[in-house]
Amino acid sequence: SDAADGDPMDESDAAFSIVEAPTYIHQEGFDSDLGSWMKYSVTGDQEWYWADEYGDPPGCAAMSGYEGGAVENEDWLISPAINLDDYTNEVLSFISACNYDGPALELKMSTDYDGSSDPTTQGTWSDITDEASWSEGGFNWVESGDIDLSTVEGTEVYIAFVYYSNPDDGSKTWEVDNIEITGEVDTGFDLEKFSPE
């Protein structure tokens, strides 16, 4: 409980601590559109789009490579530049849902993307797909769990969801929502910034 709410307390036989709640660095709920996230189609005519037909939660980012059958697609949904300079212990989380057959959705991050170019030719992207839990189908929403971003402390980061489909592997429909990046405010004092030269 926040101290402003009254009298926060806890009781235990073991050591414990009361800590500050994490600060939200970035949130995107796709309530009415794709928000601040950019769609980039590398291959194919289909693109990431805003969807609300499944209704719970209201609004999400969705992608399907189906048009009379599975067609070839590579499509990226890319965050704006997210500045982590003033935070520590940063964590990414989101929820995902999917249905039908097709390749898995991939999750990547970059600290040198320019924010607008073809992500397959610009920027260095690290694959962090395996650090998240993903929906296994039936349009069932699954929480990703906490994905550690603390390795990129003190810089800007781009997060991307990468969709693939093709006639051989299929065209799964993927949905993503409730993206959050949280962290703890860095209150450390950097002596180097204030040392005389």
Side-chain angles (χ1 to χ4, degrees):
S1 175
D2 192 298
D5 292 341
D7 298 311
M9 59 87 63
D10 197 356
E11 191 173 294
S12 174
D13 292 334
F16 68 91
S17 60
I18 298 173
V19 299
E20 282 190 45
T23 298
Y24 288 101
I25 304 170
H26 177 81
Q27 290 180 285
E28 184 55 70
F30 304 118
D31 291 337
S32 58
D33 53 29
L34 293 181
S36 59
W37 287 58
M38 176 186 78
K39 57 186 179 181
Y40 195 101
S41 182
V42 177
T43 304
D45 295 330
Q46 287 69 41
E47 297 180 331
W48 281 92
Y49 61 95
W50 178 78
D52 68 344
E53 57 262 41
Y54 300 107
D56 185 20
C60 64
M63 176 63 201
S64 173
Y66 187 88
E67 187 176 346
V71 294
E72 189 84 21
N73 275 282
E74 178 180 345
D75 288 84
W76 292 57
L77 182 66
I78 307 172
S79 75
I82 299 168
N83 192 326
L84 305 180
D85 281 347
D86 298 326
Y87 305 93
T88 60
N89 299 322
E90 300 92 339
V91 170
L92 164 68
S93 65
F94 58 91
I95 59 175
S96 68
C98 68
N99 206 9
Y100 314 118
D101 294 324
L105 195 62
E106 295 184 0
L107 179 64
K108 298 179 184 288
M109 70 176 181
S110 174
T111 57
D112 60 359
Y113 180 57
D114 67 10
S116 61
S117 300
D118 182 343
T120 64
T121 60
Q122 201 285 317
T124 305
W125 294 89
S126 301
D127 192 321
I128 55 175
T129 306
D130 291 343
E131 296 182 32
S133 297
W134 299 90
S135 176
E136 295 182 355
F139 287 122
N140 293 319
W141 289 100
V142 169
E143 296 181 0
S144 66
D146 291 341
I147 301 158
D148 183 12
L149 298 182
S150 63
T151 56
V152 290
E153 286 179 7
T155 188
E156 289 186 339
V157 65
Y158 290 86
I159 303 295
F161 294 92
V162 189
Y163 176 93
Y164 297 95
S165 64
N166 62 73
D168 293 331
D169 298 322
S171 55
K172 185 174 287 190
T173 297
W174 276 100
E175 299 176 340
V176 176
D177 204 1
N178 293 1
I179 299 169
E180 295 180 347
I181 297 178
T182 61
E184 298 172 9
V185 176
D186 185 0
T187 58
F189 187 83
D190 188 349
L191 290 176
E192 291 183 5
K193 290 182 180 179
F194 299 95
S195 296
E197 297 193 12

